[in-house]
Amino acid sequence: MEKIQKVEIRVHRGLIADLGDDEKRWMAAAIEAAKKAYAPYSCFQVGAVAVLEDGTLVSGSNQENAAYPSGLCAERTTLFAAGAQYPDLPVKALFLVALKDGEVQEKISPCGACRQVLLETEQRYRRPMQVWMCGRSEFCRLDSAESLLPLSFGSADLLG
């Protein structure tokens, strides 16, 4: 007998102009992180800022390498740095921004490898992490990284 599973993904959309002061500051920090990207091949600079539970910010950017796939995306750079520097502090939110030719792009979304890392970061700390994908005029917010990878494979599959 076939079993049907319903998957629901809730995406909050809004205008950048309507963000609160903290969210605007965190987005600005992600833009500054994107400016530090090393992206000579794609010319697509991505910045990420992890907001930790105590308010600490950890930023990162994509770092490309001619020997593909040796580079690393901004999301993984940021989350790995946060985990290494602050292993006991959960990530409350992750802000993402992309620049091309110095201009904020309208859309940004994590790649598959980054989605897996976001999900496992949530699993590591046993709490959801908001994911903010910020564009030029609009943002999309997910209340949990699990929404990016609903039928996921994670630590429970290996340990259980």
Side-chain angles (χ1 to χ4, degrees):
M1 183 170 169
E2 183 179 321
K3 188 175 182 181
I4 297 175
Q5 180 180 0
K6 182 179 179 180
V7 176
E8 184 176 291
I9 299 172
R10 302 179 85 180
V11 179
H12 305 269
R13 297 182 61 139
L15 299 175
I16 296 296
D18 295 336
L19 289 175
D21 290 341
D22 285 340
E23 289 82 7
K24 286 179 182 174
R25 184 169 48 88
W26 298 330
M27 180 182 169
I31 291 170
E32 288 305 309
K35 291 177 181 176
K36 297 174 186 171
Y38 179 67
Y41 310 109
S42 70
C43 299
F44 194 72
Q45 299 170 284
V46 179
V49 168
V51 182
L52 306 185
E53 186 176 71
D54 72 348
T56 299
L57 302 182
V58 177
S59 65
S61 59
N62 57 318
Q63 301 294 311
E64 295 180 351
N65 192 286
Y68 292 116
S70 297
L72 200 59
C73 299
E75 298 91 330
R76 286 180 280 159
T77 300
T78 302
L79 292 174
F80 291 157
Q85 295 173 29
Y86 305 96
D88 299 324
L89 285 176
V91 178
K92 183 169 76 171
L94 185 70
F95 281 72
L96 307 173
V97 175
L99 304 177
K100 182 111 173 142
D101 300 323
E103 297 292 324
V104 174
Q105 298 301 288
E106 195 51 59
K107 295 190 180 199
I108 180 72
S109 182
C111 73
C114 288
R115 290 172 188 228
Q116 183 71 29
V117 170
L118 269 71
L119 177 72
E120 290 198 36
T121 299
E122 279 191 347
Q123 291 173 348
R124 175 181 182 174
Y125 296 108
R126 294 183 182 101
R127 61 184 62 182
M129 167 180 45
Q130 289 184 346
V131 180
W132 293 76
M133 298 168 280
C134 302
R136 191 176 317 115
S137 60
E138 295 183 351
F139 69 87
C140 290
R141 186 191 85 228
L142 302 170
D143 291 331
S144 169
E146 189 175 11
S147 294
L148 290 166
L149 206 57
L151 300 175
S152 62
F153 178 86
S155 59
D157 297 298
L158 296 173
L159 302 173

